[in-house]
Amino acid sequence: MTLHEITSLLKNPSVSELALVSKAYIFAEQAHREHIRYSGEPYFNHLCETAKLIAELGADASTVAAGFLHDTIEDVNVKPETIRKEFGSEVLMLVEGVTKLGRLRYRGVDRYSESMRRLFIASSKDLRVLIIKLCDRLHNMRTLSYVPKHKQLRIAKETLDIYAPIAHRLGIRKINRELEELSFPYAYPAEYERVNAELSQKRTELIKKLSKFHKSVLKDLVKQGIQVLFTEERLKGLYSLYYKLKQRDGDFEKIYDVLAIRIIVKTVEDCYRVLGVIHASWRPLPGRIKDYVAFPKPNGYRSLHTTVFTGDGGIVEIQIRTEEMHRESEYGVALHADYKEEERPAKRGRKRRLYSSLISWKGKRDKGDGKTVLNIEDTGNGIPSWVRALGALDRTIGEQEFWEHLREDFFKDRIFIFTPKGDVVDLPTDSSPIDFAYSIHSDIGNHLMGAKINGKLLPIHTTLQNGDIVEILTKKGGKPTQKWLEFARTSIAKKHIRNTLQKLKP
Ligand code: MN
């Protein structure tokens, strides 16, 4: 790979930024000269590929330079002082952030969580550390076939357990998807074979149906004078198919987004017009029309979704969005990742505002035009509050607990729940009013007596749905019971309940 292939990806680089990246390129090539990958190629290739992935995500010159240098301290004994002298303290901080994690050598859960904890401490100071780590892992996954067999399973599982969910929560779908698809055959070989065999049988016919439908949609849109920028056809990836099958009792017929087309248009208004045109010609499936434009997902995702019967027995999901939404759905937080803890207060442009839900979980309902808009409550930089929360997590919390916290609270899919005043709280899926109450305040949780969900009084163990408006009813003498532990999802709620029960013991 030539240096130019990478520098050409930088956005309006200055002369000094170009010089920094070039210097890192040459330095890494020198430092790793004797160093070989499992595949037999020069180690330097890994550094170029990692740096290129970082540049593709739109990161700045320092992050790309750190991508070239990320293994110099760990693998070829370059002194941190040398990096500081040659590249400055910003690049050193990034390289050290990645290095400190060590190579994740799996030595039981404890060891593992400790590395993760360090990852989040580093990332909560500068999110770019996490971006570098994800790109490093992506290239390692692309070349996993060369790694000794006994290591493949461990690396693939770790990728599915940790790195893919991180990418997802950062809204970097592009990396999330590829990590999942690459890990799947190694992590779950039997399941992979099964899903692959099932889809192979149907593949040709499915693709034919999809193309036919795609053409008629385009014809309709042209007829209505809507300018379409580009479209894409998509057959669901094997891992995401496997994941959905697990949730749908293995019934292929219950999965409605095996086939999808994506329509990219110029404006938000056009998105809704496209939806109208499609619904005028094809019958939508009830309950599958989703407006993530007015109501973005907690990871920042925006798009209109609908699923329609194609008329020839097929079902196709349609995703409609603008180019900007498309870019954000692919690159997520990486588009804004040049923020760090100390300096550079966030620009308060419109773009950042639109992107709010990812950056701050606390939103507000805009009461002006009646549309639901999530306003940014800027945390001062682009570091999502959950990364910050993980980094700041109490050091006394046990490793096992930290691990559970990560899996249960942070990597689960999220839902938005509203207070009657329109404040937003985001919670893991399957949360109950108990979780909601404790997430507002421990006192509210402890005195919880009942909950009104969308105006209706319902049991406090009811499973909440995305978009529910929940009003918590409290009573002065109210207190938690043992039973609540079964209905609480979040570790924060469980912790408070346990503590309070402990105190109430006679
Ligand atoms: Mn590496």
Side-chain angles (χ1 to χ4, degrees):
M1 189 182 300
T2 64
L3 175 60
H4 179 72
E5 276 176 65
I6 295 163
T7 50
S8 65
L9 295 165
L10 295 170
K11 286 181 230 140
N12 321 312
S14 67
V15 174
S16 64
E17 284 172 332
L18 284 173
L20 182 77
V21 173
S22 314
K23 194 172 171 190
Y25 175 91
I26 294 163
F27 187 95
E29 189 174 25
Q30 279 296 316
H32 290 271
R33 215 176 2 186
E34 313 286 325
H35 196 185
I36 300 244
R37 296 271 288 174
Y38 279 124
S39 59
E41 6 156 56
Y43 198 86
F44 183 55
N45 289 6
H46 166 64
L47 305 167
C48 285
E49 294 291 345
T50 304
K52 190 180 175 197
L53 286 167
I54 295 169
E56 277 170 355
L57 287 179
D60 63 353
S62 303
T63 319
V64 176
F68 277 118
L69 303 170
H70 78 270
D71 284 325
T72 51
I73 299 179
E74 169 90 6
D75 289 344
V76 289
N77 297 319
V78 171
K79 297 250 174 329
E81 230 0 82
T82 312
I83 306 244
R84 189 199 307 277
K85 241 176 44 209
E86 300 292 324
F87 300 97
S89 47
E90 186 180 353
V91 172
L92 174 64
M93 185 274 304
L94 293 171
V95 174
E96 279 196 311
V98 179
T99 306
K100 274 196 192 123
L101 318 169
R103 288 223 218 85
L104 284 171
R105 292 191 186 86
Y106 187 75
R107 294 188 190 130
V109 156
D110 284 5
R111 210 23 229 207
Y112 200 51
S113 314
E114 192 46 44
S115 315
M116 277 301 124
R117 204 196 277 257
R118 277 190 247 139
L119 175 63
F120 285 108
I121 290 170
S123 306
S124 63
K125 295 201 178 71
D126 196 315
L127 198 61
R128 295 175 297 177
V129 172
L130 206 44
I131 305 279
I132 297 169
K133 196 67 199 166
L134 284 175
C135 292
D136 173 44
R137 177 52 61 115
L138 179 53
H139 183 248
N140 285 336
M141 286 307 298
R142 284 182 181 174
T143 51
L144 193 65
S145 62
Y146 300 106
V147 170
K149 286 267 171 305
H150 68 279
K151 292 188 175 175
Q152 289 175 340
L153 176 71
R154 196 243 327 142
I155 296 173
K157 282 215 161 137
E158 194 179 272
T159 303
L160 276 182
D161 280 355
I162 301 285
Y163 292 100
I166 291 178
H168 184 257
R169 273 215 74 186
L170 292 174
I172 315 175
R173 277 292 291 151
K174 197 176 154 58
I175 289 186
N176 163 254
R177 230 176 6 237
E178 199 180 336
L179 287 178
E180 286 179 348
E181 297 302 324
L182 289 169
S183 311
F184 187 32
Y186 295 98
Y188 301 101
E191 290 83 348
Y192 169 79
E193 288 305 332
R194 191 156 42 78
V195 177
N196 191 31
E198 174 138 22
L199 193 64
S200 298
Q201 267 184 2
K202 305 183 164 104
R203 188 174 266 123
T204 321
E205 204 205 319
L206 286 173
I207 290 177
K208 220 162 69 192
K209 266 189 188 159
L210 181 62
S211 302
K212 196 176 138 217
F213 175 70
H214 186 180
K215 268 191 212 129
S216 17
V217 168
L218 280 181
K219 219 191 276 169
D220 255 30
L221 293 176
V222 170
K223 224 192 287 168
Q224 298 299 324
I226 297 174
Q227 196 191 346
V228 175
L229 293 177
F230 61 95
T231 57
E232 290 172 353
E233 288 178 11
R234 189 222 62 188
L235 195 59
K236 200 170 183 62
L238 288 176
Y239 180 75
S240 79
L241 194 56
Y242 160 73
Y243 191 81
K244 270 265 171 81
L245 279 169
K246 268 206 313 200
Q247 295 174 321
R248 303 276 191 284
D249 327 308
D251 188 350
F252 200 88
E253 305 302 317
K254 281 190 202 154
I255 299 175
Y256 300 128
D257 63 344
V258 175
L259 302 177
I261 61 177
R262 200 167 272 159
I263 302 170
I264 316 298
V265 290
K266 267 194 153 159
T267 64
V268 174
E269 289 72 25
D270 281 348
C271 291
Y272 291 100
R273 285 177 66 205
V274 170
L275 186 71
V277 170
I278 287 168
H279 284 180
S281 298
W282 290 275
R283 195 156 70 83
L285 265 75
R288 303 267 318 167
I289 306 160
K290 303 203 175 117
D291 187 344
Y292 298 121
V293 174
F295 197 16
K297 282 193 187 183
N299 69 357
Y301 180 81
R302 290 183 301 147
S303 193
L304 296 178
H305 285 193
T306 185
T307 306
V308 301
F309 296 101
T310 56
D312 55 1
I315 287 175
V316 175
E317 179 179 279
I318 300 152
Q319 303 172 354
I320 310 157
R321 54 180 84 145
T322 64
E323 218 170 2
E324 187 192 17
M325 293 177 204
H326 185 58
R327 234 160 25 91
E328 287 188 343
S329 79
E330 292 291 283
Y331 298 114
V333 83
L335 292 174
H336 313 281
D338 53 340
Y339 304 103
K340 41 190 160 162
E341 198 172 46
E342 315 87 49
E343 309 146 40
R344 281 200 246 188
K347 282 185 209 124
R348 293 182 166 265
R350 182 177 132 77
K351 199 175 258 176
R352 306 241 327 131
R353 198 156 288 275
L354 283 171
Y355 207 52
S356 62
S357 54
L358 187 68
I359 288 157
S360 166
W361 303 116
K362 289 257 185 307
K364 284 242 156 60
R365 236 176 214 208
D366 196 324
K367 290 173 190 100
D369 55 6
K371 261 196 178 174
T372 305
V373 178
L374 290 159
N375 285 332
I376 191 162
E377 259 178 41
D378 219 310
T379 48
N381 54 54
I383 298 167
S385 53
W386 64 274
V387 171
R388 199 179 283 275
L390 282 172
L393 215 59
D394 192 351
R395 292 295 290 182
T396 59
I397 170 175
E399 296 302 340
Q400 189 66 42
E401 207 178 320
F402 178 76
W403 184 241
E404 268 164 32
H405 215 61
L406 208 62
R407 296 185 63 132
E408 288 302 311
D409 290 11
F410 292 98
F411 290 165
K412 274 247 177 101
D413 281 338
R414 316 289 290 185
I415 48 173
F416 275 139
I417 303 300
F418 291 94
T419 69
K421 281 187 193 149
D423 291 328
V424 187
V425 173
D426 85 297
L427 291 168
T429 48
D430 298 332
S431 290
S432 65
I434 300 177
D435 296 295
F436 181 69
Y438 277 106
S439 77
I440 296 171
H441 198 279
S442 57
D443 262 352
I444 297 186
N446 280 334
H447 298 103
L448 168 69
M449 199 202 62
K452 273 191 185 167
I453 304 174
N454 305 321
K456 239 209 266 159
L457 199 58
L458 287 166
I460 57 169
H461 60 261
T462 308
T463 303
L464 296 175
Q465 305 298 325
N466 192 32
D468 278 348
I469 300 170
V470 179
E471 184 184 348
I472 295 296
L473 309 173
T474 55
K475 196 171 74 182
K476 222 175 175 187
K479 51 181 182 283
T481 67
Q482 191 70 31
K483 200 99 191 118
W484 286 19
L485 284 171
E486 290 167 36
F487 308 134
R489 278 282 158 277
T490 53
S491 51
I492 179 119
K494 286 184 196 162
K495 194 171 118 189
H496 284 307
I497 296 168
R498 261 189 238 114
N499 285 350
T500 313
L501 288 175
Q502 194 70 32
K503 274 188 219 148
L504 289 171
K505 262 191 196 155

